[in-house]
Amino acid sequence: MNSIAAYFDRRQLAHAPLQELHNGGWTAYAEKASRAEQIAASFPDLRPVRDYGLEPLLQVHDRDYVEFLRSAHSDWRAAGRSGDAIGYTWPVVRRRRLKLDRIDARLGRYSYDAATPIAEGTWEASYWSAQTALTALAAILDGEMRSSFALCPPPAHHSGRDYCGGYCYLNNTAIAAEQARRSGRRVAILDIDYHHGNGTQDIFYEDPDVLFVSIHADPATDYPFFWGHAEERGEGAGAGKTLNLPLPQGTDIEAYGRALDEALGAVRAHKADLLVLSYGADTFEEDPISHFRLRRSDYRTIAGRIAALDLPVLIVMEGGYAIDALALNVGELLSGFVAEPKDADLIPQ
Ligand code: OKP
Ligand code: ZN
């Protein structure tokens, strides 16, 4: 049983696309609602989520993108389509600024892949996933908890300011990080999902205040291919504030641990006072769409090293597709973090 404060809202389950384009054919959508159901069922008490409205979402995402997400499925229906909305034409060559009404054009304009269908409940679920991250953050900022866990399907880290992709629609992680920065915190984001967090990276790429560090499968072999290479280090004022540590398929805890030490060194050097941890359990050896070799017990090791930073940690759930193992893997990671209320720190020794 997990004891760290965990946040989740059942409206997040409204997102249920049927299928995705995968290796040249349609397969069942991997980011299934049963992922969250399994994890949620492993918590004795999930805490309720507050509604912070659209404003914190619009600190990260463009308004026209948010409006697109809200209306895409009904526009799809209005165009006479059934099932989930999905694009098939992407404006990759200097055409992104064209403002077009046709739903197929807008699906291409606001996405970069065909892995991210918009179903009837996608907006509702994404909205509440972002509110879940904000509520879990507030527990830390208000001093109620030292660390907290946001159970956030749909996930976040492939979504950028004006695009969805990789099962991600709103960037919960970036929304919480931005909110924390606006509350005066010095924020570092550590992304340990198997896949590179291209959306989060893009959002903070020129930002000197928010450090983004990611350990992930080498994009030369793995999704999302076009981001996450070691030479991407940030730009402009943000130069040096992005660190990518790509690792080969087959990586086990030894090589992973070395990358983790480097990542934690960067977090320390940034002098962060809050860590946002984008956690994907798809680094697990049995994950059906990923190729690292981490074992369940490795998550406790990883958490222990992160906890040794002695920072408050907002843990935001990203991927993880070995559904039967998911709750145990999440529990193993959370077991490494402080579960007590923050006030316990004040009790004299
Ligand atoms: C989301 B998250 C491989 C298909 C990959 C997209 C993967 C999105 C992962 N043939 N489809 O980072 O766990
Ligand atoms: Zn992933």
Side-chain angles (χ1 to χ4, degrees):
M1 279 290 154
N2 295 310
S3 51
I4 196 167
Y7 296 81
F8 178 65
D9 189 292
R10 295 196 64 82
R11 280 169 283 194
Q12 292 170 240
L13 300 173
H15 170 67
L18 225 55
Q19 50 189 4
E20 63 181 288
L21 194 56
H22 172 78
N23 295 350
W26 291 100
T27 53
Y29 192 61
E31 205 282 284
K32 294 181 171 61
S34 54
R35 296 177 61 242
E37 299 263 27
Q38 294 275 332
I39 304 171
S42 73
F43 286 89
D45 52 340
L46 286 163
R47 297 181 179 221
V49 168
R50 279 183 54 186
D51 188 354
Y52 294 89
L54 280 176
E55 200 254 313
L57 282 50
L58 293 169
Q59 302 296 350
V60 160
H61 294 286
D62 291 348
R63 185 176 287 276
D64 60 332
Y65 170 64
V66 168
E67 277 161 12
F68 158 76
L69 265 189
R70 279 176 97 149
S71 66
H73 192 264
S74 53
D75 292 350
W76 177 260
R77 283 293 170 80
R81 316 284 174 67
S82 59
D84 306 325
I86 191 150
Y88 67 94
T89 306
W90 285 271
V92 290
V93 192
R94 284 187 289 118
R95 310 308 286 175
R96 290 190 81 209
R97 267 168 297 165
L98 283 178
K99 294 257 178 279
L100 298 167
D101 284 340
R102 171 104 177 181
I103 181 60
D104 305 280
R106 295 166 72 223
L107 284 161
R109 165 65 185 80
Y110 295 113
S111 67
Y112 67 89
D113 70 12
T116 317
I118 298 176
E120 189 171 7
T122 298
W123 167 255
E124 186 183 24
S126 303
Y127 178 87
W128 286 104
S129 192
Q131 302 301 334
T132 290
L134 288 164
T135 305
L137 171 71
I140 298 174
L141 296 184
D142 297 348
E144 192 194 332
M145 301 302 301
R146 173 134 169 103
S147 295
S148 60
F149 174 61
L151 176 47
C152 278
H157 71 156
H158 298 301
S159 157
R161 280 191 190 283
D162 63 351
Y163 62 80
C164 56
Y167 316 150
C168 303
Y169 302 86
L170 292 174
N171 197 315
N172 314 311
T173 301
I175 289 166
E178 179 61 27
Q179 188 66 27
R181 180 249 294 278
R182 282 168 190 264
S183 311
R185 304 304 286 258
R186 186 152 175 91
V187 181
I189 300 169
L190 174 59
D191 188 323
I192 58 169
D193 185 278
Y194 177 81
H195 305 93
H196 179 252
N198 58 294
T200 315
Q201 169 172 299
D202 274 350
I203 287 164
F204 295 110
Y205 207 57
E206 296 183 39
D207 191 322
D209 299 327
V210 177
L211 176 73
F212 175 74
V213 184
S214 179
I215 306 170
H216 50 270
D218 189 342
T221 56
D222 281 79
Y223 182 92
F225 308 114
F226 301 100
W227 295 261
H229 302 267
E231 60 269 23
E232 295 161 33
R233 302 294 299 255
E235 251 169 42
K241 291 294 180 185
T242 290
L243 176 62
N244 284 301
L245 301 168
L247 296 170
Q249 294 190 358
T251 289
D252 63 8
I253 189 62
E254 279 199 35
Y256 196 92
R258 286 193 291 274
L260 183 61
D261 286 343
E262 190 178 345
L264 297 176
V267 173
R268 271 194 209 93
H270 184 63
K271 298 195 169 23
D273 60 24
L274 176 79
L275 181 68
V276 181
L277 181 67
S278 245
Y279 171 56
D282 44 6
T283 48
F284 185 51
E285 57 185 348
E286 287 166 32
D287 194 273
I289 70 168
S290 310
H291 311 277
F292 280 175
R293 293 204 192 118
L294 298 192
R295 303 194 167 165
R296 177 161 307 133
S297 60
D298 295 336
Y299 291 122
R300 188 185 294 253
T301 307
I302 289 168
R305 293 208 205 166
I306 296 170
L309 288 171
D310 202 22
L311 290 176
V313 185
L314 169 65
I315 303 153
V316 182
M317 191 73 206
E318 300 281 0
Y321 308 96
I323 295 177
D324 294 341
L326 198 49
L328 289 170
N329 288 341
V330 170
E332 192 79 13
L333 181 97
L334 297 185
S335 69
F337 292 97
V338 182
E340 298 85 50
K342 200 185 169 205
D343 285 351
D345 295 348
L346 303 176
I347 296 167
Q349 306 287 306

